[in-house]
Amino acid sequence: MFIDVAYNFYMDSEGKDPDKYSPTLRKYHQILWSKELPTGGRFELTDTSPSKYLSYLTSEKHIDLSSDSIANSYMNSQNKEISRIVERIDQEIVESFRQLNGTIGGYLLFPSQRINGKMNINGSRGFSKVIADRFDLTLECIRLYYQEKSSPLYEVLARYKDFFQLFGDFNGYVDFFLLNDLLDSNGSIKMFLEKKNIFVKSGYPESQEDYLIYREKTMEFVYHRNLRIDKSLS
């Protein structure tokens, strides 16, 4: 199957959430991430169960996965503060952001099953106000997790240690999912919004200016990740 990194998954999700309703997105995930793991073996993903999105099955592990958007325009956010900011931005600017976010560079897989009835990673990163569903902050939490350091998402990430062990270390995780364009030359996360004290207060953009900076940085990441994904297929 040919993968078009410019394809917008809203095209075949009937305007609904592509994570759940786009068959093309699911197939792209299956093709892209069914590959050799840095720790050995292959991350072979199956879609044979109608009740599961994708699954990784071996004699030792069974990990169900779901798609998650890692580029959020906040267009339909339930948070009142960010909704008021977005409403004051030219909607063509917001829509162009949403459209780019709808390409494969704006999506990732995370384990989907709830462990002991607790929230999974997708839910936790959206529920936490200090993360605010931002992927730069999520990736920083993952970096800290591999270093066994505390973060707002450490507890939920630790519940899925079997998943993260597959990639060996943080660099293995980043390389596998082609997230390299969110790291600088020192291996630090290039934050969408530069704040001295992350995880202290809300991660949402606090003004129209903040939002436009956040938009620019996020779109830059998605654009370059699309190029990286395309190159990986050649």
Side-chain angles (χ1 to χ4, degrees), residues 52-65:
K52 307 294 184 183
Y53 189 81
L54 290 170
S55 298
Y56 168 69
L57 303 170
T58 69
S59 58
E60 299 175 346
K61 294 185 179 182
H62 176 177
I63 302 174
D64 294 322
L65 301 120

Side-chain angles (χ1 to χ4, degrees), residues 83-100:
S83 292
R84 282 194 285 267
I85 290 172
V86 173
E87 287 170 359
R88 293 196 293 268
I89 304 288
D90 185 326
Q91 291 306 292
E92 290 187 6
I93 291 176
V94 179
E95 179 60 22
S96 66
F97 187 15
R98 188 181 77 94
Q99 290 297 318
L100 181 61

Side-chain angles (χ1 to χ4, degrees), residues 107-207:
Y107 293 91
L108 191 61
L109 292 176
F110 283 121
S112 59
Q113 67 268 39
R114 286 173 174 257
I115 297 177
N116 298 325
K118 295 183 179 180
M119 197 176 291
N120 62 21
I121 297 171
N122 291 5
S124 295
R125 59 188 294 267
F127 183 78
S128 169
K129 193 172 182 178
V130 296
I131 301 298
D133 215 14
R134 277 173 46 188
F135 187 66
D136 56 338
L137 296 176
T138 301
L139 193 60
E140 173 66 358
C141 290
I142 294 172
R143 186 186 72 83
L144 293 171
Y145 167 76
Y146 275 109
Q147 295 182 356
E148 299 184 353
K149 294 181 180 179
S150 177
S151 80
L153 296 180
Y154 185 86
E155 182 180 339
V156 65
L157 296 174
R159 289 201 289 274
Y160 300 95
K161 63 181 181 179
D162 286 351
F163 171 74
F164 289 105
Q165 284 174 349
L166 293 171
F167 312 102
D169 57 20
F170 179 65
N171 289 332
Y173 176 82
V174 167
D175 290 342
F176 187 87
F177 286 111
L178 304 176
L179 302 168
N180 312 70
D181 295 294
L182 202 51
L183 271 60
D184 65 20
S185 58
N186 296 317
S188 299
I189 311 300
K190 293 192 286 189
M191 294 294 173
F192 298 147
L193 287 172
E194 291 292 343
K195 293 183 179 180
K196 292 182 179 179
N197 299 310
I198 61 171
F199 306 147
V200 174
K201 58 180 182 178
S202 172
Y204 291 106
E206 297 178 342
S207 64

Side-chain angles (χ1 to χ4, degrees), residues 71-84:
N72 194 338
S73 69
Y74 298 123
M75 178 176 276
N76 299 308
S77 176
Q78 298 300 308
N79 181 277
K80 294 180 180 179
E81 289 80 6
I82 189 62
S83 292
R84 282 194 285 267

